[in-house]
Structures are given as C-alpha cells and as structure tokens.
Amino acid sequence: MASRESEGARRPRRRPDPRRSHKAALGIAQDIVDDITRDDLGPGAKLPGEREMLERFGAGRGTLRESLRFLEMTGAITLKPGPRGGPVVAEQDGQDLAWVLGLFMQLRGVPFGAVVAAREVLEPELAGLAAERATAEDHARLKDTIDGMSAFLDDEQNFLAENDRFHSAVAAASGNDLFALVISSLHTITDGVPLGLDYSRPRRENVVKSHSEIAEAIEAGDAEGARWAMRKHLRRLRTRVESDFPAVLDRPLRWRDIVP
C-alpha cells in the first residue's frame, strides 16, 4: 500500500517565521547590541545608565533589567555594582560561546566524543590555512603562547590558559574570525579538566612539543605539514582519552561540566 505522503498528502513543513512576535526584553537587548556595534564600543566601554535607558526605550524597569541580565549571561556585557557601576561592554571569547553550546549539547545528549571529532575535522584544515595566510603578528602570537606554556609547566591553570590561546591563535591565523570563535569554544569544552583528565608535567611537555611542531610548520608556510602536525596532536588526545578514560567519549556532556 502506498503511503499517504506518496499519494500527495505530505504534511507541509514550514520554516519558523522570523517576524513572529517576541518578548519586549529581547527587542531591547537587540537594540543595545546594535548600539554597541554601531558605535564600535570595545571591551570596558560604559553603556548608558538605567535612567537613560528607561527613557530611551520607554520600558518598565523589570523589562530593562531582564534585557541586561540576558546580555550579561551571554557574555555581551558585565553589570558592575555600586552607584558608579552599570552595564559595561565585555570582552567576548570562546568560553561565552561554549556556555551557550553546552546548554544545547546537554539537552540534545551530545557526547564528549562528538566534540573531539569536530575538532579533528576542523583544526587540521585551519592549521593548513594558517600556514598559507598567517602574518608576522600571527607568528609572534603563536610563539608567545608556546613561551607562556613553557614558563608555566608547573602551573596547570596558567598552562591551560596559554594552551587555549594557542589553539585560538591558530584558528585566528586562518583568517576567519568565525572559525576562531568556534575552535576556541570547542577547545574550552574538550580541555578535559571538568571530566577528570589531568595534565601532569610530562604531558604538558608533550603538548609544548606538539604545539612547537605545528607553529614551525605554519611559520614555514608548510600547509600539509601543519595539517599533519595538528592531526597528530589531536589524535594523541583521542588516544589518551580512549586509554585512560574510555567511558568519557560516550558520556553525554553536561552544561555544568563546561561552565562550572
């Protein structure tokens, strides 16, 4: 028997209507972001105070505060307390995107291994692009992160911060800001610390060695070499997780693991 859909009774599937009404607080939040980008306000720039915003948007205090809380939670602004405080433009980074992705990953049951796999696909290609496009400033930034990791071999938290900077710098050197943001976010999710992975000194030394190989290939303009070095680096991460923490790859990510 033919299905009803094959007989022309297929159920229509419509895309969401972007014009649908939304909460007033969201509209105000969007207006504030428009102001930040239009006026090219960088991190640390102070935004108008509550009284001025209430007059401009013609909204109630509760609605405005909901807008500001939303922007604060997404990393767009910070709210400084006190009589001289108020909303201030924040410095957005991959951790802010990881915060949002983590929420959806938990709701969709995405496992840790899926994020590792995404990095294995994306980062070698970005390393290759970086070898073709990196500027002298990019090379200096990569070297600085490696110097930082070497300086903090006995300080795990600062070592991991420099490690994050390296992967972000490689993605940024590819010339695509979106990739830089996404890779920084995925690296935040897979650094493994909340999931039980540790970074002993010998492992930190191996990371520095791997990063140096990647940076050298990028500086030499060797795109294939950069891809190979990055692929090898990420394969070591997967091998280590499979060996020491086999259950982690299949474990669904939790929002609280990503942003404690």
Side-chain angles (χ1 to χ4, degrees):
M1 179 181 293
S3 68
R4 291 191 62 191
E5 288 197 350
S6 66
E7 293 173 355
R10 187 181 187 92
R11 179 173 60 85
R13 294 177 173 84
R14 295 184 178 87
R15 298 180 69 184
D17 185 354
R19 299 168 298 177
R20 65 183 180 180
S21 61
H22 52 64
K23 296 179 67 174
L26 177 58
I28 292 173
Q30 291 169 338
D31 287 340
I32 293 171
V33 172
D34 286 344
D35 291 343
I36 293 172
T37 55
R38 184 194 63 235
D39 297 335
D40 197 22
L41 301 178
K46 194 170 182 179
L47 298 175
E50 183 177 89
R51 181 178 299 178
E52 184 177 341
M53 284 194 179
L54 287 173
E55 292 178 357
R56 178 189 168 189
F57 297 119
R61 182 173 281 106
T63 300
L64 175 61
R65 289 181 177 177
E66 183 181 352
S67 303
L68 295 175
R69 281 195 297 270
F70 172 77
L71 292 175
E72 182 182 37
M73 290 181 69
T74 53
I77 67 171
T78 56
L79 296 175
K80 293 190 174 182
R84 294 189 177 181
V88 175
V89 179
E91 183 170 5
Q92 303 79 35
D93 57 28
Q95 188 169 13
D96 298 311
L97 180 57
W99 189 90
V100 177
L101 285 176
L103 169 61
F104 287 98
M105 286 180 180
Q106 177 169 350
L107 293 174
R108 293 180 66 90
V110 175
F112 181 79
V115 186
V116 174
R119 287 186 60 192
E120 288 175 323
V121 170
L122 289 173
E123 289 202 67
E125 289 306 311
L126 293 181
L129 287 174
E132 296 170 354
R133 302 175 180 177
T135 65
E137 183 179 353
D138 292 322
H139 294 311
R141 188 178 297 112
L142 289 170
K143 181 179 183 304
D144 185 65
T145 67
I146 294 170
D147 290 343
M149 284 186 287
S150 299
F152 292 122
L153 282 171
D154 294 315
D155 183 339
E156 184 174 70
Q157 290 305 310
N158 279 310
F159 176 87
L160 291 176
E162 296 291 347
N163 187 30
D164 292 342
R165 285 185 61 226
F166 175 84
H167 285 272
S168 296
V170 171
S174 74
N176 188 305
D177 290 340
L178 176 59
F179 279 140
L181 185 61
V182 170
I183 290 302
S184 178
S185 170
L186 295 181
H187 191 264
T188 296
I189 294 170
T190 57
D191 72 5
V193 175
L195 296 170
L197 302 182
D198 66 321
Y199 286 81
S200 63
R201 182 180 175 109
R203 285 186 174 128
R204 293 174 205 165
E205 291 173 347
N206 285 335
V207 170
V208 172
K209 182 179 178 181
S210 293
H211 285 197
S212 297
E213 290 176 355
I214 296 166
E216 288 168 5
I218 290 174
E219 186 169 9
D222 181 1
E224 191 52 42
R227 291 188 187 96
W228 176 83
M230 181 65 81
R231 194 173 292 117
K232 182 175 69 169
H233 178 48
L234 294 173
R235 191 177 297 124
R236 284 174 177 166
L237 169 63
R238 176 178 287 277
T239 300
R240 181 188 162 210
V241 174
E242 289 174 339
S243 173
D244 297 351
F245 304 90
V248 167
L249 287 174
D250 294 327
R251 182 191 304 169
L253 285 159
R254 295 191 310 163
W255 193 21
R256 69 176 69 252
D257 290 334
I258 297 166
V259 184

